[in-house]
Amino acid sequence: MQEREYIKDTKYCQILAQSRVTDGVYTYSIEKVYVKKKKRDEIRFCLYKDTLNQIEKYIPRSLDVTELELLELFKEAINQDVFSMEMLGSLKGILSQKKVKESKVSILSTESEEKK
């Protein structure tokens, strides 16, 4: 297997790509990681915080962000190549289908209002 570049190597994984958004207290991140035991790439949503012992210590808990912060994080993840082109293509298809469904609902509700 060809050796890949990584940002950080831990016992659990290698961080291959990373998006980061900081709010002054926490750093939110979406990462592409290679999980050594499973021998595969995965996407990880995570949280880091500066502590007295360590700068940007990984915090093993859920990542709670606003929709605006999530959009900013996704934008950065796309810019940092966290997601594959196949994944982005699939996401584009899902969003296009959602847009089509919403426009059909909008047209139907407009037609029913006009009949009244």
Side-chain angles (χ1 to χ4, degrees), residues 24-84:
V25 177
Y26 294 101
T27 298
Y28 312 112
S29 183
I30 301 176
E31 300 171 341
K32 177 184 281 188
V33 297
Y34 174 74
V35 180
K36 295 174 181 179
K37 190 172 185 176
K38 294 180 180 180
K39 297 182 180 178
R40 69 178 187 196
D41 291 349
E42 294 183 354
I43 301 296
R44 175 169 72 179
F45 290 76
C46 52
L47 180 68
Y48 294 92
K49 183 178 181 182
D50 289 347
T51 66
L52 295 174
N53 301 330
Q54 184 178 343
I55 294 174
E56 290 193 355
K57 179 180 173 115
Y58 173 72
I59 307 297
R61 65 169 242 205
S62 62
L63 176 63
D64 301 325
V65 294
T66 65
E67 286 185 345
L68 186 59
E69 290 167 330
L70 182 61
L71 284 173
E72 190 176 334
L73 199 51
F74 262 88
K75 180 181 174 185
E76 184 66 16
I78 292 166
N79 290 336
Q80 295 298 323
D81 297 322
V82 171
F83 305 119
S84 67

